Structures are given as C-alpha cells and as structure tokens.
Amino acid sequence: MTTKPLLKVEGLKKYFPIKKGILGRTVGYVKAVDDVSFYVNEGETLGIVGESGCGKSTTGRMLMRLLEPTEGKVEFDGKDLTSLSTEEMRKTRRDIQMVFQDPYASLNPRHTIEKILEEPLIVHGLDNSKERKKKVREFLEIVGLSAYHAKRYPHQFSGGQRQRIGIARALMTNPKLIIADEPVSALDVSIQSQVLNLMQDLQKEFNLTYIFIAHDLGVVRHISDRVGVMYLGKMVEMADSEQLYLKALHPYTQALLSAVPVPDPDFKKEQILLEGDIPNPANPPSGCTFHTRCPHKMEICTKVTPRLTEHDSGHSVACHLYSEQVDNDIKQLEGSI
Ligand code: SF4
C-alpha cells in the first residue's frame, strides 16, 4: 500500500435549507455535514461510522457529486472535483464507483444481469459489444457467480448474490475508488463476512481504494485500515483501526464500541448506554453537539465547540477532555461570559 493520498476532503459542508410558508422562505438549515476533512491513501480502506442521520451517507454522495456540496473541496487524483463541469465530472465517475446498501433497489428489475453490468461500459463509451459481453462474464466469475447468470434477472438471486452483482457493476469501469455505503447492512450475518472477504480480495487484485460507510463498528473493523467516527454532521474521532478499537478516546466512540458484541461468552463487557436520541440536526446543541448525551460533560462542553486535533500520531479527536487547547478554550469561554 502506498501512502499517497488518492482523495483529500477539506471543510466539506452540506446544509439543506428548511423552507416554510407559501413563499417557501428559508427559515433555517439542516447541517447534515458540517466542516468535515479527511484523506484516503491509495490502496487503503477508510471506514466512516456513526448512527443514522450523522451525515456519513451524505458525505459519500458529495464525494461523487451526486449531491452538490454547500462548501468545501474534494480533491481526487490531483483534480478538484468541486470545480469540474458536469461533463468532466461524468467522465471522472469512471474512476469513482459506488456500491449501495440495497442491491435490489439499485438493480433494474426489468434488465438482465448482462444489461445491468454492460451499462457502465456503454455510458463511458468503453469496449465494443463483443468485448463488453466477454467482460460481463469474466466479472461475474470474479465476484463468485457464473457466466450463465448473465441472462437472469435480479429477482432470481439471493441478497448476497445481488450484492455481488452490485460489486461487479462497480468494478466494470476499472475504478480507482469505490464508495461502499452500508454494503452489507441488509444481509444476514453469515453472508456479511463472505461479501466482506470478497471485497478484501478484490481490493488486493485490483489495487482498489475503499471508503466503507457503516453504522456498525464491528463490521468496519473487519475491513478498515483507518476509521472516522461521525456524530451529527461532524467527524469526532479518526484513527488507525487497531488504535481506535484498543484506545478509543471520544466518549461517543467508546459508547459505540461498548455495543459491539465480543465472540467470547466468558468475556463480560460493560455497555455504555447513551441517554436520549440523536438531537435534531436542524437545531443542534450548542458547543459540543454530543454534550446532551455525554457521560463526561463539563461546563465548557455546552459553550465551546471542540476542534478535531491530533492527540497521538495519526489519532485525532474532537473532545475537550483531550484538547491541549483546553486552556485557550476556557479563556475563550471566560471571555464570552
Ligand atoms: Fe463529552 Fe465534552 Fe468531550 Fe463533548 S467535549 S464529548 S461533551 S467531554
């Protein structure tokens, strides 16, 4: 694996306007993604985790510009994607593909698998008809299906097989980056590990870079080199996968980790139960947005937003418990009272 960043994201924001009245006046914003920055090195897997509504899927969609960012920069392979024209972005999508959570919903039920897999090649003007059909059969076998499946329809496959088809479709254009949005969440646990193993094998074979989005830290651990944890539109912790699992710093990550089952019946783990629900992103709490649920809340937490700062090498956290800036933050707080 190289350490060259393939993707760099800086200050990414997505604010959805809240409209009211017959004139549709904007009365506020839902800050679905609020100032998120990260990078992904070539050949690595970055996991992004958090509860539903934390902004992880919105982030994934903005990277492909399926949603336009409100602000921020997305640099892919040296190109600033946010400044590309629609046509240039369409061409770039050959190198960035997506795998979705629900393979059935993302596969056209009226098309044969052959037609579904050929489509990305046709869209990007790649190969002639004979070459495309040959490639479809090759890729079906690469993902563990058979060439004869090409003539079947999506409903003739199980959930796990359909996700293999979704993965094959993403691979057809020979992409560099695959954004997998909850790719195994809809599958039985027994099938999940088969699909994860397949994704890992394909990563080695095709030198792929993955962004793996999930709500389950247990699943993300299996596949990620590094993990970013999101809460209410912000990245609150980011670290190497092992480091995060051994020594999570942010109270939210600690709570998520305490809920991951351990495959040892004698190992007793204390689960940290978070109080309350995830707050309304249209009206997020002041200061640290996690303060309404945090068991370690301090006075400063309700007033000053903690910044994501490096605590150990490669391990960043946004929490006043670790902030070397905390003295400055307290002065800033005292100044504001
Ligand atoms: Fe908890 Fe305060 Fe840290 Fe937020 S900043 S996670 S409220 S201790």
Side-chain angles (χ1 to χ4, degrees), residues 15 18 28-32 34 231-234 278-292 302 305:
Y15 293 179
I18 306 166
Y29 290 92
V30 173
K31 297 180 176 178
D34 194 12
Y231 185 78
L232 221 60
K234 289 188 184 293
I278 196 161
N280 180 358
N283 186 20
S286 58
C288 170
T289 51
F290 186 58
H291 83 249
T292 49
T302 60
T305 307

Side-chain angles (χ1 to χ4, degrees), residues 141-201:
E141 289 186 352
I142 285 170
V143 298
L145 296 169
S146 300
Y148 67 82
H149 286 131
K151 292 293 176 201
R152 296 197 178 167
Y153 289 85
H155 73 269
Q156 296 175 288
F157 295 90
S158 67
Q161 287 174 322
R162 284 199 288 259
Q163 196 53 294
R164 287 173 189 269
I165 294 164
I167 292 168
R169 182 178 54 181
L171 288 175
M172 294 302 287
T173 58
N174 198 18
K176 294 178 180 162
L177 173 67
I178 291 189
I179 301 168
D181 188 1
E182 302 262 12
V184 296
S185 310
L187 305 177
D188 288 349
V189 176
S190 58
I191 308 294
Q192 285 186 355
S193 55
Q194 291 174 16
V195 173
L196 291 173
N197 289 339
L198 170 70
M199 288 183 70
Q200 283 180 314
D201 292 345

Side-chain angles (χ1 to χ4, degrees), residues 250-252 288 290-291 294-298 301 306 318-321:
H250 198 282
Y252 177 59
C288 170
F290 186 58
H291 83 249
C294 180
H296 305 287
K297 179 179 89 175
M298 303 172 283
C301 306
C319 173
H320 292 304
L321 290 172

